[in-house]
Amino acid sequence: MLEYDFAVLHSLGLQPASLAALADIPEADHPDARLARVTEVQREGLFLHDGRLDTAARPLPRLVQTLLAEADALVVGDWVIAERNALGETWVSALLPRINQLARRANDGRRQPLASNIDTALLVMGLDHDFNPRRLERYLAFTRIAAVAPVIVLTKSDLADDGAARLDELAARLPGGTPMLAVDARADSAREALAPWLGAGQTVVLLGASGTGKSTLTNTLLATPAQATGAVRAGDSRGRHTTVARHLFRLPGGACLIDTPGLRTWRPDADEAELTSGFDDIQALAAHCRYRDCQHLEEPGCAVRDAVPADRLRNYHKVMRDARQGSLTMRERKAQTAKWKVISKAAKAYGRAKRGG
Ligand SMILES: Nc1nc2c(ncn2[C@@H]2O[C@H](COP(=O)(O)OP(=O)(O)OP(=O)(O)O)[C@@H](O)[C@H]2O)c(=O)[nH]1
Ligand SMILES: [Zn+2]
């Protein structure tokens, strides 16, 4: 059985639940096997961290195939079993079951896994002109489906005159219980406000539209209080982010921050039924609609339409439309692939016939 130092791996975000399946993974029995976390994924290879060392590695082809069969792939945040061979190469042989995962549906309908094993998603939105409760509502539904705990982070509190009113508006509109805070993303106080979710071994992601302050917040979180004083920091704040260009990196307080292209603004990989479960008030009311397949549009006897605020219902319909569009292109793509298979078979047969004749 594979040996590991839990304290060291925990500092990289390992949770006991990830280890539950270890006994069932044959690769873990290999004498050279060790546990590591995927910190970056590139086209050809990836980077792993084992709590002490950063190593370039590649997944074994059979692992790639197994995952591919389920439209899956290794992502940043995964816990894996890796082995170093006599040539000094590191190969990933197995993937530990994920606690959760954020995946998105690309425009062509393909599923694109993005990041895994996340404790908290910081949903970032500006209190300035970017303020958009509907978008936040969708993000909340998405994180709920992915089983990732959300925290709403409203940036640019220093720029908003009516910040308090907007906070009240959100509190009235959104399901209760979601932590919500307003910050100036540039200030040390933002780091202090987020401290409860940034303890050692916690893994967080930042989700939000462009320009909402994710990079600014990242730089603030990366700065230790001593560094964060004076003009020095203001000058190199951008540079600091780029020099730590790992997609999973550790914050001074010991949390892991995943920042991966494509994760920042994201359309989830979920079907209509799953998305409905993200709007649990609508789901509960739908049981009382006259028609089982009620879309909550014009149908008579709809229990949802009267009870749910119009704006929230419109938002729900938008999410459903997007989901349907995604699955449509998915079907089209499958049809396309099937057609290509037939064509290439025909082409091969034609080639054989020609060579034969
Ligand atoms: N005054 C003020 N400005 C902020 C705050 N947060 C971000 N900004 C500014 O808003 C602009 C955009 O912030 P970024 O951090 O680059 O936004 P982003 O979310 O990383 O944007 P993308 O990289 O496009 O995804 C920058 O000029 C920041 O300085 C804030 O809390 N207060
Ligand atoms: Zn209905």
Side-chain angles (χ1 to χ4, degrees), residues 122 124 153 181 183-198 204-206 213-225 227-228 233 237 240-241 244 249-258:
L122 304 177
V124 183
V153 182
L181 28 110
V183 298
D184 175 347
R186 304 161 307 167
D188 286 347
S189 53
R191 188 175 49 249
E192 286 149 25
L194 285 167
W197 297 278
L198 300 177
V204 298
V205 298
L206 294 169
K214 298 182 297 300
S215 305
T216 308
L217 204 53
T218 301
N219 285 325
T220 301
L221 298 179
L222 279 171
T224 56
Q227 282 176 306
R233 176 169 175 264
S237 61
R240 183 176 296 125
H241 188 187
V244 197
F249 43 91
R250 278 197 270 186
L251 300 176
C256 301
L257 176 66
I258 295 182

Tab-separated table of all heavy atoms in Angstrom, residues 122 124 153 181 183-198 204-206 213-225 227-228 233 237 240-241 244 249-258:
chain	number	residue	atom	x	y	z
A	122	LEU	N	-15.511	31.458	-5.048
A	122	LEU	CA	-15.755	32.861	-4.757
A	122	LEU	C	-16.414	33.461	-6.000
A	122	LEU	O	-15.797	33.549	-7.053
A	122	LEU	CB	-14.441	33.582	-4.431
A	122	LEU	CG	-13.616	32.973	-3.282
A	122	LEU	CD1	-12.295	33.726	-3.108
A	122	LEU	CD2	-14.405	32.988	-1.982
A	124	VAL	N	-17.449	36.353	-7.950
A	124	VAL	CA	-17.009	37.747	-7.914
A	124	VAL	C	-17.878	38.603	-8.837
A	124	VAL	O	-18.084	38.272	-10.001
A	124	VAL	CB	-15.527	37.850	-8.351
A	124	VAL	CG1	-15.039	39.293	-8.241
A	124	VAL	CG2	-14.661	36.925	-7.512
A	153	VAL	N	-18.743	37.467	-3.476
A	153	VAL	CA	-17.780	38.530	-3.187
A	153	VAL	C	-18.089	39.720	-4.082
A	153	VAL	O	-17.878	39.667	-5.301
A	153	VAL	CB	-16.330	38.053	-3.422
A	153	VAL	CG1	-15.349	39.158	-3.065
A	153	VAL	CG2	-16.040	36.800	-2.612
A	181	LEU	N	-20.180	39.134	0.928
A	181	LEU	CA	-19.433	40.248	1.483
A	181	LEU	C	-19.071	41.260	0.416
A	181	LEU	O	-18.919	40.915	-0.755
A	181	LEU	CB	-18.181	39.778	2.236
A	181	LEU	CG	-17.510	38.488	1.847
A	181	LEU	CD1	-16.183	38.776	1.210
A	181	LEU	CD2	-17.326	37.660	3.098
A	183	VAL	N	-16.301	44.117	-0.739
A	183	VAL	CA	-14.889	44.439	-0.489
A	183	VAL	C	-14.354	45.445	-1.509
A	183	VAL	O	-14.908	45.604	-2.592
A	183	VAL	CB	-13.990	43.170	-0.574
A	183	VAL	CG1	-14.378	42.145	0.471
A	183	VAL	CG2	-14.045	42.551	-1.976
A	184	ASP	N	-13.287	46.083	-1.139
A	184	ASP	CA	-12.441	46.772	-2.103
A	184	ASP	C	-11.339	45.767	-2.414
A	184	ASP	O	-10.500	45.467	-1.565
A	184	ASP	CB	-11.874	48.050	-1.470
A	184	ASP	CG	-10.879	48.756	-2.395
A	184	ASP	OD1	-10.448	48.149	-3.401
A	184	ASP	OD2	-10.525	49.911	-2.094
A	185	ALA	N	-11.355	45.227	-3.629
A	185	ALA	CA	-10.463	44.110	-3.962
A	185	ALA	C	-8.994	44.482	-3.848
A	185	ALA	O	-8.128	43.615	-3.757
A	185	ALA	CB	-10.771	43.602	-5.374
A	186	ARG	N	-8.697	45.779	-3.851
A	186	ARG	CA	-7.304	46.222	-3.803
A	186	ARG	C	-6.776	46.298	-2.379
A	186	ARG	O	-5.575	46.405	-2.163
A	186	ARG	CB	-7.170	47.602	-4.456
A	186	ARG	CG	-7.687	47.661	-5.891
A	186	ARG	CD	-7.942	49.094	-6.285
A	186	ARG	NE	-8.813	49.734	-5.274
A	186	ARG	CZ	-9.022	51.047	-5.181
A	186	ARG	NH1	-8.417	51.870	-6.011
A	186	ARG	NH2	-9.819	51.525	-4.251
A	187	ALA	N	-7.677	46.245	-1.410
A	187	ALA	CA	-7.282	46.550	-0.026
A	187	ALA	C	-6.996	45.298	0.796
A	187	ALA	O	-7.561	44.229	0.562
A	187	ALA	CB	-8.397	47.356	0.640
A	188	ASP	N	-6.105	45.447	1.781
A	188	ASP	CA	-5.799	44.346	2.698
A	188	ASP	C	-7.043	43.820	3.398
A	188	ASP	O	-7.120	42.646	3.745
A	188	ASP	CB	-4.812	44.817	3.772
A	188	ASP	CG	-3.421	44.980	3.203
A	188	ASP	OD1	-3.194	44.508	2.073
A	188	ASP	OD2	-2.566	45.580	3.878
A	189	SER	N	-8.006	44.727	3.597
A	189	SER	CA	-9.214	44.313	4.314
A	189	SER	C	-9.958	43.209	3.542
A	189	SER	O	-10.670	42.409	4.135
A	189	SER	CB	-10.134	45.517	4.528
A	189	SER	OG	-10.364	46.167	3.292
A	190	ALA	N	-9.755	43.137	2.205
A	190	ALA	CA	-10.401	42.083	1.424
A	190	ALA	C	-9.843	40.716	1.822
A	190	ALA	O	-10.575	39.730	1.955
A	190	ALA	CB	-10.183	42.317	-0.074
A	191	ARG	N	-8.539	40.695	2.038
A	191	ARG	CA	-7.906	39.426	2.455
A	191	ARG	C	-8.423	39.011	3.821
A	191	ARG	O	-8.694	37.831	4.064
A	191	ARG	CB	-6.385	39.598	2.458
A	191	ARG	CG	-5.644	38.304	2.689
A	191	ARG	CD	-4.136	38.466	2.581
A	191	ARG	NE	-3.643	39.571	3.362
A	191	ARG	CZ	-3.136	40.706	2.860
A	191	ARG	NH1	-3.042	40.850	1.555
A	191	ARG	NH2	-2.735	41.682	3.646
A	192	GLU	N	-8.557	39.980	4.695
A	192	GLU	CA	-9.046	39.660	6.045
A	192	GLU	C	-10.496	39.172	5.993
A	192	GLU	O	-10.874	38.225	6.666
A	192	GLU	CB	-8.929	40.890	6.953
A	192	GLU	CG	-7.486	41.155	7.356
A	192	GLU	CD	-7.185	42.630	7.576
A	192	GLU	OE1	-8.124	43.398	7.883
A	192	GLU	OE2	-6.008	43.019	7.438
A	193	ALA	N	-11.295	39.801	5.145
A	193	ALA	CA	-12.704	39.420	5.051
A	193	ALA	C	-12.860	37.992	4.519
A	193	ALA	O	-13.792	37.275	4.886
A	193	ALA	CB	-13.442	40.408	4.155
A	194	LEU	N	-11.937	37.586	3.644
A	194	LEU	CA	-12.043	36.259	3.036
A	194	LEU	C	-11.327	35.170	3.836
A	194	LEU	O	-11.432	33.979	3.512
A	194	LEU	CB	-11.492	36.304	1.610
A	194	LEU	CG	-12.432	36.988	0.619
A	194	LEU	CD1	-11.721	37.291	-0.695
A	194	LEU	CD2	-13.641	36.090	0.358
A	195	ALA	N	-10.619	35.578	4.875
A	195	ALA	CA	-9.811	34.631	5.653
A	195	ALA	C	-10.561	33.359	6.079
A	195	ALA	O	-9.985	32.267	6.036
A	195	ALA	CB	-9.203	35.340	6.858
A	196	PRO	N	-11.850	33.458	6.463
A	196	PRO	CA	-12.531	32.229	6.912
A	196	PRO	C	-12.547	31.115	5.856
A	196	PRO	O	-12.673	29.941	6.199
A	196	PRO	CB	-13.961	32.709	7.204
A	196	PRO	CG	-13.838	34.163	7.476
A	196	PRO	CD	-12.684	34.656	6.648
A	197	TRP	N	-12.426	31.462	4.577
A	197	TRP	CA	-12.472	30.441	3.519
A	197	TRP	C	-11.093	30.117	2.968
A	197	TRP	O	-10.956	29.376	2.021
A	197	TRP	CB	-13.408	30.900	2.392
A	197	TRP	CG	-14.783	31.042	2.903
A	197	TRP	CD1	-15.700	30.036	3.077
A	197	TRP	CD2	-15.413	32.243	3.373
A	197	TRP	NE1	-16.852	30.543	3.628
A	197	TRP	CE2	-16.703	31.890	3.814
A	197	TRP	CE3	-15.010	33.575	3.471
A	197	TRP	CZ2	-17.600	32.836	4.334
A	197	TRP	CZ3	-15.891	34.510	3.993
A	197	TRP	CH2	-17.170	34.134	4.410
A	198	LEU	N	-10.078	30.729	3.551
A	198	LEU	CA	-8.734	30.591	2.993
A	198	LEU	C	-7.774	29.932	3.971
A	198	LEU	O	-6.571	30.157	3.932
A	198	LEU	CB	-8.197	31.966	2.569
A	198	LEU	CG	-9.032	32.703	1.513
A	198	LEU	CD1	-8.439	34.066	1.231
A	198	LEU	CD2	-9.133	31.892	0.238
A	204	VAL	N	-9.804	27.006	-3.343
A	204	VAL	CA	-10.808	27.969	-3.799
A	204	VAL	C	-10.616	28.296	-5.275
A	204	VAL	O	-9.522	28.158	-5.812
A	204	VAL	CB	-10.761	29.290	-2.980
A	204	VAL	CG1	-11.074	29.040	-1.524
A	204	VAL	CG2	-9.414	29.973	-3.121
A	205	VAL	N	-11.717	28.687	-5.907
A	205	VAL	CA	-11.651	29.229	-7.273
A	205	VAL	C	-12.362	30.574	-7.283
A	205	VAL	O	-13.225	30.841	-6.442
A	205	VAL	CB	-12.324	28.307	-8.325
A	205	VAL	CG1	-11.630	26.974	-8.407
A	205	VAL	CG2	-13.805	28.121	-8.020
A	206	LEU	N	-11.992	31.410	-8.242
A	206	LEU	CA	-12.661	32.690	-8.446
A	206	LEU	C	-13.472	32.577	-9.727
A	206	LEU	O	-12.939	32.203	-10.764
A	206	LEU	CB	-11.629	33.806	-8.626
A	206	LEU	CG	-10.738	34.161	-7.432
A	206	LEU	CD1	-9.614	35.075	-7.883
A	206	LEU	CD2	-11.559	34.848	-6.367
A	213	GLY	N	-12.659	42.111	-11.094
A	213	GLY	CA	-11.648	42.254	-10.042
A	213	GLY	C	-11.012	40.944	-9.592
A	213	GLY	O	-10.419	40.896	-8.517
A	214	LYS	N	-11.092	39.899	-10.421
A	214	LYS	CA	-10.523	38.612	-10.021
A	214	LYS	C	-8.997	38.684	-9.920
A	214	LYS	O	-8.413	38.184	-8.961
A	214	LYS	CB	-10.944	37.512	-11.007
A	214	LYS	CG	-12.457	37.297	-11.038
A	214	LYS	CD	-12.849	36.187	-11.981
A	214	LYS	CE	-12.490	36.474	-13.432
A	214	LYS	NZ	-13.148	37.688	-13.972
A	215	SER	N	-8.365	39.308	-10.916
A	215	SER	CA	-6.897	39.427	-10.862
A	215	SER	C	-6.473	40.321	-9.707
A	215	SER	O	-5.498	40.028	-9.005
A	215	SER	CB	-6.355	40.000	-12.168
A	215	SER	OG	-6.789	39.232	-13.250
A	216	THR	N	-7.217	41.396	-9.526
A	216	THR	CA	-6.910	42.320	-8.438
A	216	THR	C	-6.999	41.596	-7.103
A	216	THR	O	-6.104	41.683	-6.262
A	216	THR	CB	-7.913	43.498	-8.454
A	216	THR	OG1	-7.930	44.049	-9.775
A	216	THR	CG2	-7.525	44.562	-7.465
A	217	LEU	N	-8.051	40.831	-6.951
A	217	LEU	CA	-8.255	40.075	-5.719
A	217	LEU	C	-7.148	39.032	-5.549
A	217	LEU	O	-6.625	38.833	-4.449
A	217	LEU	CB	-9.634	39.406	-5.779
A	217	LEU	CG	-10.320	39.038	-4.483
A	217	LEU	CD1	-10.410	40.222	-3.544
A	217	LEU	CD2	-11.726	38.511	-4.779
A	218	THR	N	-6.798	38.357	-6.634
A	218	THR	CA	-5.725	37.354	-6.582
A	218	THR	C	-4.443	37.989	-6.072
A	218	THR	O	-3.774	37.442	-5.197
A	218	THR	CB	-5.492	36.753	-7.980
A	218	THR	OG1	-6.704	36.157	-8.418
A	218	THR	CG2	-4.401	35.699	-7.951
A	219	ASN	N	-4.106	39.150	-6.606
A	219	ASN	CA	-2.882	39.830	-6.169
A	219	ASN	C	-2.962	40.221	-4.704
A	219	ASN	O	-1.974	40.099	-3.973
A	219	ASN	CB	-2.625	41.053	-7.040
A	219	ASN	CG	-2.091	40.646	-8.405
A	219	ASN	OD1	-1.352	39.675	-8.517
A	219	ASN	ND2	-2.486	41.362	-9.426
A	220	THR	N	-4.115	40.658	-4.278
A	220	THR	CA	-4.278	41.015	-2.866
A	220	THR	C	-4.116	39.781	-1.982
A	220	THR	O	-3.466	39.827	-0.943
A	220	THR	CB	-5.665	41.648	-2.631
A	220	THR	OG1	-5.774	42.811	-3.454
A	220	THR	CG2	-5.864	42.043	-1.190
A	221	LEU	N	-4.681	38.661	-2.429
A	221	LEU	CA	-4.597	37.437	-1.633
A	221	LEU	C	-3.181	36.875	-1.624
A	221	LEU	O	-2.762	36.216	-0.676
A	221	LEU	CB	-5.572	36.380	-2.158
A	221	LEU	CG	-7.057	36.753	-2.093
A	221	LEU	CD1	-7.909	35.631	-2.659
A	221	LEU	CD2	-7.486	37.072	-0.660
A	222	LEU	N	-2.442	37.109	-2.710
A	222	LEU	CA	-1.074	36.590	-2.804
A	222	LEU	C	-0.099	37.392	-1.966
A	222	LEU	O	0.971	36.907	-1.614
A	222	LEU	CB	-0.597	36.603	-4.258
A	222	LEU	CG	-1.065	35.441	-5.120
A	222	LEU	CD1	-0.715	35.684	-6.568
A	222	LEU	CD2	-0.433	34.143	-4.621
A	223	ALA	N	-0.446	38.629	-1.674
A	223	ALA	CA	0.468	39.478	-0.920
A	223	ALA	C	0.403	39.108	0.551
A	223	ALA	O	-0.677	38.880	1.087
A	223	ALA	CB	0.077	40.936	-1.106
A	224	THR	N	1.545	39.010	1.182
A	224	THR	CA	1.536	38.867	2.633
A	224	THR	C	1.384	40.269	3.193
A	224	THR	O	1.764	41.237	2.539
A	224	THR	CB	2.849	38.229	3.135
A	224	THR	OG1	3.928	39.034	2.673
A	224	THR	CG2	3.014	36.828	2.611
A	225	PRO	N	0.824	40.408	4.386
A	225	PRO	CA	0.579	41.751	4.910
A	225	PRO	C	1.819	42.649	4.842
A	225	PRO	O	1.721	43.826	4.549
A	225	PRO	CB	0.145	41.490	6.347
A	225	PRO	CG	-0.461	40.129	6.304
A	225	PRO	CD	0.328	39.363	5.285
A	227	GLN	N	4.213	42.622	2.645
A	227	GLN	CA	4.467	43.049	1.272
A	227	GLN	C	3.461	44.092	0.816
A	227	GLN	O	3.714	44.841	-0.099
A	227	GLN	CB	4.310	41.860	0.322
A	227	GLN	CG	5.480	40.910	0.291
A	227	GLN	CD	5.140	39.736	-0.601
A	227	GLN	OE1	4.113	39.081	-0.419
A	227	GLN	NE2	5.958	39.491	-1.593
A	228	ALA	N	2.309	44.061	1.451
A	228	ALA	CA	1.182	44.800	0.899
A	228	ALA	C	1.199	46.279	1.241
A	228	ALA	O	0.240	46.973	1.028
A	228	ALA	CB	-0.127	44.174	1.382
A	233	ARG	N	4.183	47.621	-3.880
A	233	ARG	CA	3.193	46.638	-4.267
A	233	ARG	C	2.328	47.132	-5.440
A	233	ARG	O	2.074	46.420	-6.395
A	233	ARG	CB	2.288	46.311	-3.088
A	233	ARG	CG	1.234	45.372	-3.537
A	233	ARG	CD	0.440	44.758	-2.479
A	233	ARG	NE	-0.562	43.999	-3.194
A	233	ARG	CZ	-1.770	44.437	-3.447
A	233	ARG	NH1	-2.139	45.609	-3.027
A	233	ARG	NH2	-2.602	43.703	-4.137
A	237	SER	N	2.026	44.699	-8.780
A	237	SER	CA	0.923	43.798	-8.451
A	237	SER	C	0.554	42.906	-9.636
A	237	SER	O	0.243	41.740	-9.494
A	237	SER	CB	-0.297	44.602	-7.993
A	237	SER	OG	-0.721	45.454	-9.020
A	240	ARG	N	3.313	40.208	-10.100
A	240	ARG	CA	3.315	39.121	-9.131
A	240	ARG	C	2.378	37.993	-9.594
A	240	ARG	O	2.704	36.830	-9.501
A	240	ARG	CB	2.883	39.642	-7.756
A	240	ARG	CG	2.955	38.549	-6.714
A	240	ARG	CD	2.630	39.083	-5.334
A	240	ARG	NE	3.590	40.062	-4.892
A	240	ARG	CZ	3.265	41.298	-4.491
A	240	ARG	NH1	2.025	41.678	-4.490
A	240	ARG	NH2	4.191	42.135	-4.103
A	241	HIS	N	1.257	38.376	-10.123
A	241	HIS	CA	0.323	37.372	-10.590
A	241	HIS	C	0.943	36.556	-11.726
A	241	HIS	O	0.858	35.343	-11.751
A	241	HIS	CB	-0.973	38.043	-11.056
A	241	HIS	CG	-2.049	37.059	-11.377
A	241	HIS	ND1	-3.230	37.423	-11.945
A	241	HIS	CD2	-2.110	35.728	-11.205
A	241	HIS	CE1	-3.964	36.354	-12.103
A	241	HIS	NE2	-3.312	35.311	-11.664
A	244	VAL	N	3.653	33.958	-10.737
A	244	VAL	CA	3.133	32.743	-10.099
A	244	VAL	C	2.155	32.085	-11.080
A	244	VAL	O	1.028	31.803	-10.755
A	244	VAL	CB	2.419	33.066	-8.773
A	244	VAL	CG1	2.257	31.802	-7.931
A	244	VAL	CG2	3.197	34.095	-7.980
A	249	PHE	N	-2.098	27.591	-7.348
A	249	PHE	CA	-0.985	28.070	-6.551
A	249	PHE	C	-1.396	28.318	-5.125
A	249	PHE	O	-2.577	28.422	-4.820
A	249	PHE	CB	-0.303	29.293	-7.158
A	249	PHE	CG	-1.226	30.325	-7.704
A	249	PHE	CD1	-1.662	31.357	-6.918
A	249	PHE	CD2	-1.636	30.259	-9.040
A	249	PHE	CE1	-2.497	32.319	-7.434
A	249	PHE	CE2	-2.468	31.217	-9.562
A	249	PHE	CZ	-2.913	32.241	-8.762
A	250	ARG	N	-0.392	28.363	-4.275
A	250	ARG	CA	-0.678	28.464	-2.854
A	250	ARG	C	-0.608	29.893	-2.375
A	250	ARG	O	0.326	30.621	-2.706
A	250	ARG	CB	0.285	27.578	-2.073
A	250	ARG	CG	-0.241	26.146	-2.100
A	250	ARG	CD	0.398	25.303	-1.060
A	250	ARG	NE	1.594	24.670	-1.609
A	250	ARG	CZ	2.299	23.783	-0.939
A	250	ARG	NH1	1.946	23.461	0.292
A	250	ARG	NH2	3.349	23.243	-1.485
A	251	LEU	N	-1.592	30.258	-1.581
A	251	LEU	CA	-1.625	31.589	-1.007
A	251	LEU	C	-0.791	31.581	0.271
A	251	LEU	O	-0.608	30.521	0.875
A	251	LEU	CB	-3.078	31.980	-0.689
A	251	LEU	CG	-4.013	31.994	-1.903
A	251	LEU	CD1	-5.444	32.282	-1.474
A	251	LEU	CD2	-3.546	33.028	-2.923
A	252	PRO	N	-0.286	32.736	0.674
A	252	PRO	CA	0.572	32.786	1.860
A	252	PRO	C	-0.071	32.123	3.088
A	252	PRO	O	0.603	31.498	3.880
A	252	PRO	CB	0.782	34.283	2.082
A	252	PRO	CG	0.610	34.887	0.734
A	252	PRO	CD	-0.423	34.051	0.038
A	253	GLY	N	-1.385	32.224	3.227
A	253	GLY	CA	-2.054	31.650	4.394
A	253	GLY	C	-2.247	30.140	4.308
A	253	GLY	O	-2.753	29.530	5.246
A	254	GLY	N	-1.880	29.515	3.174
A	254	GLY	CA	-1.942	28.068	3.077
A	254	GLY	C	-3.092	27.520	2.246
A	254	GLY	O	-3.200	26.316	2.059
A	255	ALA	N	-3.956	28.381	1.729
A	255	ALA	CA	-5.018	27.884	0.849
A	255	ALA	C	-4.474	27.726	-0.571
A	255	ALA	O	-3.446	28.302	-0.922
A	255	ALA	CB	-6.194	28.846	0.845
A	256	CYS	N	-5.152	26.904	-1.377
A	256	CYS	CA	-4.784	26.735	-2.781
A	256	CYS	C	-5.801	27.474	-3.635
A	256	CYS	O	-7.010	27.323	-3.445
A	256	CYS	CB	-4.822	25.255	-3.177
A	256	CYS	SG	-3.725	24.234	-2.203
A	257	LEU	N	-5.300	28.263	-4.560
A	257	LEU	CA	-6.182	29.012	-5.455
A	257	LEU	C	-6.023	28.452	-6.862
A	257	LEU	O	-4.907	28.357	-7.371
A	257	LEU	CB	-5.817	30.500	-5.419
A	257	LEU	CG	-6.590	31.407	-6.367
A	257	LEU	CD1	-8.059	31.472	-5.979
A	257	LEU	CD2	-6.002	32.815	-6.353
A	258	ILE	N	-7.136	28.054	-7.458
A	258	ILE	CA	-7.092	27.557	-8.838
A	258	ILE	C	-7.550	28.666	-9.762
A	258	ILE	O	-8.628	29.222	-9.590
A	258	ILE	CB	-8.001	26.324	-9.011
A	258	ILE	CG1	-7.472	25.151	-8.183
A	258	ILE	CG2	-8.087	25.928	-10.489
A	258	ILE	CD1	-8.275	23.877	-8.325
